[in-house]
């Protein structure tokens, strides 16, 4: 495991020499220490990225050449899935099969953006038809410049890939600031990039806290673009800081996503996707369907099956066989979620869970927790909890379900289940959310756009939209100089 930051193609100590503890949430013990990067480290990293962008080969290479480097990065990540997944289990707490899935996806993201970089050579220029004779015009896509990427802790390396891979594919250079809670896997990317042939300065990685490293990166005048994933309050702060220099910005923020279940949904399917929608990754998922709306006449039978299955979920260390729910990411997050549960007990009816599982008091574990009869104004219904806690409510009509689903300041994701696909599609169109699932909840694909409406964010990641995040569009218009313009100089 790396214990240095990565600047200008080299692993180095931080300017202050200070380090901070990285905690294993399964036992609350320190398992590693990494540098506490500060404004001086960020400045060195941004200047290296600036030099690499302004004078280095990377933005000037063809897409095919950039693709070769990205593909090799994906190849090395794919070859090290088991090793890196184990780092994620120790750092984040998630069960190993989920961590393996993350790292497979991470490799896939690099491979996908390698393909897009290759296509970019043909697609970077687009002819624009003008309504005036004598002119020809084209729109040319170019890299936006130095990108600052600030990421959360729930999918540590995957969240890094969602930003680093498209930024590099576009020809940008990057300074990455991983979450202070899960900084370990991201540090591996430096060596991976170097061995793949990425020129020095194109990727820089600074570990550290939000206020000490994230804020200076956000405010640095030599950064052109900021890509942030995290909470709404931090996103709002970053937006305000970015406004000073009018930096280009993309924000992927929180959610309180609804899952609407009509009574014609087979009960087993409903149970499966409710559980997956909130307990996968300990519910520490921005798009988790944490508000479940069930058609009233299906409620009793569905709840009975749901509670029975939730109680069977095996909780434990992420490396243990058969575990489906690991510890939450940190003691602070553990405390926060337990506090939410206490609030929930006053606001609604606790159906199952609600505590620390017996025998697992040493780690940051929380039982799968279900609340029912949750009033619309309850804070557990309106606020993001970011843990294995789901709120259930009933509805009578399609209109009521849509109104309840959309009555939130968030708009990241929404899901609907029904045997009637016309109805499901109608509800899907009525949702005010950027990601909508029909008859499932959560599956995420590198090819499809990802991002939120309302306070859940700005812009889209993944797919071709993810690449466009890191591109400027330049208009190049040519006048046929053999014609006279004849405005001032009359013939
Ligand atoms: P957070 O906002 O606390 O931190 C995110 C990152 O921002 C961290 O790297 C942190 O160090 C940094 N940061 C904190 N203060 C900063 C500041 N003042 N200036 C610059 N950077 C600063 O979020 P978190 O707790 O790490 O992640 C959980 C949140 O992320 C949840 O709200 C979740 O919904 C959201 N999330 C969204 C998506 C999405 O795609 N929309 C994906 C994952 C997580």
């Amino acid at each position: 495991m790396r214990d240095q930051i990565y600047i200008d193609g080299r692993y180095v100590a931080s300017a202050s020499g200070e380090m901070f503890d990285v905690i294993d949430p399964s036992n609350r013990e320190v398992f590693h220490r990494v540098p506490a990067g500060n404004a001086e480290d960020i400045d060195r990293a941004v200047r290296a990225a600036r030099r690499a962008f302004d004078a280095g080969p990377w933005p000037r290479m063809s897409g095919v050449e950039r693709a070769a480097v990205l593909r090799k990065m994906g190849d090395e990540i794919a070859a090290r899935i088991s090793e890196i997944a184990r780092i994620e289990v120790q750092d984040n707490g998630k069960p190993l099969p989920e961590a393996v899935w993350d790292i497979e996806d991470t490799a896939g993201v690099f491979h996908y953006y390698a393909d897009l970089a290759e296509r970019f050579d043909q697609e970077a220029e687009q002819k624009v038809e003008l309504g005036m004779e004598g002119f020809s015009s084209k729109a040319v896509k170019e890299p936006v410049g130095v990108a600052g990427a600030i990421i959360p802790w729930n999918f540590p390396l995957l969240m890094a890939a969602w930003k680093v891979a498209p930024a590099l594919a576009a020809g940008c250079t990057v300074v990455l600031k991983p979450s202070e809670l899960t900084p370990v896997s991201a540090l591996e990317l430096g060596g991976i990039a170097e061995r793949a042939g990425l020129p020095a300065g194109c990727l820089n990685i600074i570990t550290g806290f939000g206020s000490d490293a994230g804020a200076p990166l956000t405010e640095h005048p030599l950064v052109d673009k900021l890509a942030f994933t995290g909470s709404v309050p931090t996103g709002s702060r970053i937006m305000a800081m970015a406004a000073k220099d009018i930096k280009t910005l993309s924000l992927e923020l929180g959610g309180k996503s609804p899952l609407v279940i009509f009574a014609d949904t087979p009960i087993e399917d409903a149970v499966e996707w409710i559980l997956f929608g909130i307990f996968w990754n300990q519910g520490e998922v921005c798009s988790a369907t944490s508000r479940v709306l069930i058609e009233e006449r299906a409620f009793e039978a569905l709840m009975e099956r749901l509670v029975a299955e939730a109680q069977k979920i095996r909780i434990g260390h992420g490396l243990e066989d058969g575990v489906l729910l690991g510890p939450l990411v940190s003691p602070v997050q553990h405390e926060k979620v337990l506090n939410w549960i206490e609030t929930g007990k006053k606001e609604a009816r606790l159906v199952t869970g609600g505590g620390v599982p017996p025998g697992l008091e040493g780690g940051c574990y929380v039982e799968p927790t279900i609340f029912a009869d949750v009033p619309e104004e309850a804070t557990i219904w309106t606020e993001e909890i970011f843990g294995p806690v789901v709120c259930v409510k009933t509805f009578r009509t399609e209109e009521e379900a849509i109104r309840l689903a959309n009555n939130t300041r968030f708009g990241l994701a929404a899901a609907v289940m029904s045997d009637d696909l016309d109805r499901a599609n109608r509800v899907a169109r009525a949702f005010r959310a950027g990601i909508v699932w029909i008859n499932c909840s959560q599956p995420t694909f590198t090819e499809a756009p990802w991002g939120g409406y309302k306070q859940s964010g700005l812009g889209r990641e993944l797919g071709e939209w993810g690449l466009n995040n890191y591109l400027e569009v330049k208009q190049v218009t040519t006048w046929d100089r053999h014609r006279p313009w004849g405005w001032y100089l009359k013939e």
Side-chain angles (χ1 to χ4, degrees), residues 35-58:
N38 62 18
E40 204 179 326
D41 301 305
I42 289 289
D43 185 57
R44 276 159 68 206
V46 171
R47 284 178 193 282
R50 188 78 254 169
R51 279 193 304 276
F53 186 80
D54 291 342
W58 188 250

Side-chain angles (χ1 to χ4, degrees), residues 151 153-154 177 180 214 228-231 234 253-254 286 384 450:
I151 56 168
W153 43 259
N154 53 348
K177 209 296 282 171
E180 57 272 35
F228 172 77
T229 298
S231 62
T234 310
L253 307 176
C286 51
E384 186 180 43
W450 182 274

Side-chain angles (χ1 to χ4, degrees), residues 85-291:
R86 280 164 187 270
I87 293 178
E88 301 290 55
V89 171
Q90 199 166 20
D91 209 355
N92 168 279
K94 63 179 71 196
L96 184 64
E98 296 183 14
V100 165
W101 199 8
D102 283 8
I103 308 305
E104 282 169 358
D105 255 11
T106 305
V109 170
F110 278 94
H111 287 144
Y112 174 79
Y113 281 104
D115 291 347
L116 287 204
E118 229 162 42
R119 275 189 3 218
F120 186 65
D121 289 336
Q122 280 80 52
E123 292 170 8
E125 286 194 12
Q126 190 189 330
K127 193 167 186 285
V128 179
E129 295 298 341
L130 301 177
M132 193 169 176
E133 262 185 49
F135 286 102
S136 62
S137 188
K138 58 188 175 183
V140 184
K141 289 184 178 174
E142 296 184 341
V144 69
V146 174
I150 301 178
I151 56 168
W153 43 259
N154 53 348
F155 298 90
L157 196 61
L158 184 59
M159 289 295 106
W162 279 25
K163 294 178 170 40
V164 170
L168 292 178
C172 289
T173 59
V174 183
V175 177
L176 171 68
K177 209 296 282 171
S179 166
E180 57 272 35
L181 295 179
T182 54
V184 185
S185 58
L187 281 178
E188 292 297 321
L189 274 184
I192 291 170
E194 211 171 306
R195 286 184 288 278
L198 187 73
C202 292
L203 174 62
N204 306 273
I205 305 156
I206 308 292
T207 49
F209 292 88
S211 49
D212 303 335
L217 178 57
T218 307
E219 290 182 306
H220 202 295
L222 298 181
V223 170
D224 300 296
K225 193 233 149 64
L226 286 166
F228 172 77
T229 298
S231 62
V232 173
T234 310
S236 169
R237 238 174 277 143
I238 285 182
M239 198 169 173
M241 286 192 267
K244 196 167 125 280
D245 296 323
I246 322 286
K247 290 188 175 88
T248 309
L249 188 63
S250 48
L251 299 172
E252 302 288 343
L253 307 176
K256 190 77 184 180
S257 301
L259 164 54
V260 172
I261 297 173
F262 287 96
D264 59 354
T265 307
I267 202 163
E268 299 298 297
D269 297 351
V271 170
E272 174 75 293
W273 289 108
I274 294 172
L275 296 176
F276 193 74
I278 190 62
F279 298 133
W280 172 62
N281 210 55
Q282 293 72 244
E284 296 168 322
V285 181
C286 51
S287 55
T289 34
S290 50
R291 291 187 298 141

Side-chain angles (χ1 to χ4, degrees), residues 12-72:
V12 293
S14 66
S16 70
E18 277 174 31
M19 309 285 279
F20 68 91
D21 294 341
V22 189
I23 308 280
D24 177 340
S26 70
N27 54 20
R28 301 168 194 261
E29 282 172 15
V30 177
F31 80 94
H32 193 48
R33 286 169 64 74
V34 298
N38 62 18
E40 204 179 326
D41 301 305
I42 289 289
D43 185 57
R44 276 159 68 206
V46 171
R47 284 178 193 282
R50 188 78 254 169
R51 279 193 304 276
F53 186 80
D54 291 342
W58 188 250
R60 288 150 202 93
M61 282 181 183
S62 68
V64 169
E65 288 170 307
R66 284 201 293 268
V69 174
L70 287 168
R71 203 158 280 133
K72 280 190 198 152

Side-chain angles (χ1 to χ4, degrees), residues 399-445:
E399 293 67 34
E400 189 192 4
I402 292 167
R403 191 197 64 72
L404 285 166
N406 284 339
N407 187 18
T408 166
R409 66 182 205 281
F410 299 107
L412 187 58
V416 55
M417 300 190 72
S418 171
D419 236 13
D420 175 351
L421 269 186
D422 287 339
R423 171 162 65 184
N425 275 293
R426 207 163 52 230
V427 173
R429 289 299 300 265
F431 283 144
R432 299 279 302 151
I435 303 144
V436 172
W437 287 287
I438 295 178
N439 289 337
C440 64
S441 170
Q442 305 308 310
T444 298
F445 298 92

Side-chain angles (χ1 to χ4, degrees), residues 250-387:
S250 48
L251 299 172
E252 302 288 343
L253 307 176
K256 190 77 184 180
S257 301
L259 164 54
V260 172
I261 297 173
F262 287 96
D264 59 354
T265 307
I267 202 163
E268 299 298 297
D269 297 351
V271 170
E272 174 75 293
W273 289 108
I274 294 172
L275 296 176
F276 193 74
I278 190 62
F279 298 133
W280 172 62
N281 210 55
Q282 293 72 244
E284 296 168 322
V285 181
C286 51
S287 55
T289 34
S290 50
R291 291 187 298 141
V292 173
L293 291 155
I294 301 175
E295 192 171 350
E296 202 174 64
R297 60 197 167 88
F299 179 77
E300 290 288 329
L302 179 47
M303 277 304 273
E304 199 180 312
R305 281 286 286 127
L306 180 66
V307 169
E309 291 302 322
Q311 288 171 346
K312 282 190 214 154
I313 291 175
R314 173 124 180 248
I315 313 168
H317 193 288
L319 293 180
E320 264 172 45
D321 257 1
V323 159
L324 285 171
L325 194 83
L328 303 192
V329 70
S330 70
V332 170
Q333 187 66 15
H334 189 235
E335 186 79 26
K336 258 193 215 166
V337 172
L338 291 175
N339 283 338
W340 272 119
I341 292 173
E342 286 315 304
T343 304
K345 286 179 188 168
K346 292 179 207 129
E347 293 181 327
R349 177 165 64 91
L350 177 67
V351 180
T352 185
V356 174
L360 291 172
E361 292 81 3
C364 304
Y365 296 93
V366 174
E367 290 170 330
T369 299
I370 302 176
F371 284 101
D373 307 335
V374 186
E376 216 182 333
E377 57 287 352
T379 54
I380 56 163
W381 184 258
T382 58
E383 300 301 315
E384 186 180 43
I385 296 176
F386 225 59

